Amino acid sequence: MVMLLTDGIIRRYQATRAVRHSIEHATGQGIPSASGCRRDLASLDLTTLTTHLNRRAVDCSDSERDISWLRANLQRLRASRDEVSLPSSVDTAAEAIMWGQADQTDDALQTLWSELSSLQRRIELQLNVVYNLAVQRDSRLSLRIAQTTREVAAATKRDSSSMKALATLTAVFLPGTSMAALFSMPLFDWKAAPGSPVVSPRLWLYWAITGPLTILVLVIYGLWTKLGIVQHAREIERVQDSDEEVDGLSIETAHSPTFLQRSKTMRDTLIERRGSALPV
């Protein structure tokens, strides 16, 4: 049974070491052959790397727990060597071989414990590397967004300057255009005989219709602008209410009995595992 457990620990160690080596090669950190190499952060699936590293860290912790249990049993077995009376049919040479194998297994487990401790430290180092790569990728994305925002702001400023120039030209030519349109109407008879009126007596119809229409357009524009302001205020209020609901739900969940019981169970499990993983 001891040999089977030891073989299982060795297989887990080899699998964890292979995963760690592949992740070090992917990140370019931790192995001499990849030092100084630049990796494309966009091509790295940092979430998958983090999942693999966390899983292998748990495997290392479980292996250390199993090694502690095996070494503790071997220590108790060696301590009771003199108290155990083997049958007379057992050869003395076979007994010596058995105890020699037990000592070799204990030495191998101690060496494997040291290798697992080193492997776990390198896994933690790779976790830090992955987190730093995620921060670097987010920083580059933020810089890209800031650069795009700056370009959009510059383009908007250029468009605003163009619109300002068009508005200025319109304001310059608007009086002349308005007067030209007014004087070109048939309400004015510029070829009237001397003593005849130039202005038609129906000119008041133009002002009676144009004035109310202008006021109506201004009122509609004012109402449309006010409606947009009210809708914008409602959207801001809706977003604030949603944020408050999310914060309230998070606080309620964090203080719920189920969440507290689960947190206590996880904490007790980690403390128990850490205590049982101490080397003998």
Side-chain angles (χ1 to χ4, degrees):
M1 180 178 178
V2 173
M3 298 303 297
L4 290 176
L5 289 176
T6 305
D7 185 61
I9 294 172
I10 292 175
R11 284 199 302 268
R12 275 188 298 187
Y13 166 75
Q14 291 174 348
T16 304
R17 186 176 179 181
V19 172
R20 186 262 306 165
H21 181 77
S22 63
I23 293 177
E24 286 180 346
H25 181 74
T27 59
Q29 304 291 330
I31 51 178
S33 59
S35 60
C37 297
R38 298 180 62 87
R39 293 290 188 269
D40 184 12
L41 297 182
S43 63
L44 293 178
D45 188 357
L46 300 181
T47 303
T48 303
L49 294 181
T50 304
T51 303
H52 288 326
L53 288 171
N54 287 327
R55 186 180 304 166
R56 295 307 171 181
V58 172
D59 289 343
C60 287
S61 179
D62 293 340
S63 298
E64 288 179 349
R65 179 198 58 199
D66 295 342
I67 289 175
S68 299
W69 182 81
L70 288 173
R71 293 195 64 202
N73 287 307
L74 288 175
Q75 291 286 350
R76 285 193 292 269
L77 185 61
R78 281 203 299 265
S80 61
R81 178 185 302 181
D82 298 332
E83 300 175 1
V84 176
S85 58
L86 295 177
S88 57
S89 59
V90 178
D91 190 8
T92 305
E95 180 182 358
I97 293 174
M98 181 186 68
W99 290 116
Q101 289 181 349
D103 293 337
Q104 290 178 1
T105 302
D106 184 66
D107 294 339
L109 290 174
Q110 185 176 2
T111 303
L112 190 57
W113 173 278
S114 301
E115 293 291 334
L116 284 171
S117 299
S118 175
L119 181 60
Q120 193 164 11
R121 287 193 296 269
R122 295 187 69 169
I123 289 176
E124 293 175 356
L125 176 62
Q126 286 303 311
L127 279 172
N128 293 329
V129 169
V130 171
Y131 293 152
N132 291 330
L133 290 177
V135 171
Q136 292 179 13
R137 186 170 65 180
D138 293 342
S139 300
R140 292 182 181 180
L141 181 60
S142 300
L143 289 175
R144 236 182 254 119
I145 293 174
Q147 183 178 1
T148 304
T149 305
R150 186 169 59 250
E151 293 175 356
V152 170
T156 303
K157 185 177 180 180
R158 288 194 300 268
D159 294 340
S160 177
S161 301
S162 301
M163 295 300 296
K164 184 177 180 180
L166 292 175
T168 302
L169 291 175
T170 302
V172 169
F173 290 100
L174 180 60
T177 304
S178 301
M179 296 308 298
L182 179 62
F183 290 152
S184 64
M185 291 189 299
L187 296 174
F188 296 91
D189 187 7
W190 301 107
K191 298 180 180 180
S196 299
V198 177
V199 181
S200 173
R202 296 184 178 86
L203 181 61
W204 64 273
L205 290 173
Y206 171 77
W207 300 111
I209 297 174
T210 304
L213 285 177
T214 303
I215 294 174
L216 179 62
V217 169
L218 293 177
V219 169
I220 293 175
Y221 175 75
L223 293 176
W224 179 73
T225 304
K226 186 176 181 179
L227 179 62
I229 294 174
V230 172
Q231 289 180 351
H232 182 65
R234 288 179 180 176
E235 290 178 359
I236 293 177
E237 185 178 358
R238 191 182 304 113
V239 171
Q240 291 177 352
D241 293 340
S242 300
D243 293 340
E244 291 177 359
E245 290 179 0
V246 172
D247 294 338
L249 181 61
S250 300
I251 294 174
E252 182 179 357
T253 304
H255 289 83
S256 63
T258 304
F259 181 82
L260 294 176
Q261 182 64 29
R262 187 180 301 173
S263 300
K264 184 176 182 301
T265 304
M266 293 177 63
R267 183 184 60 189
D268 295 341
T269 303
L270 290 175
I271 292 175
E272 183 182 355
R273 179 176 295 180
R274 186 177 298 175
S276 63
L278 294 175
V280 179

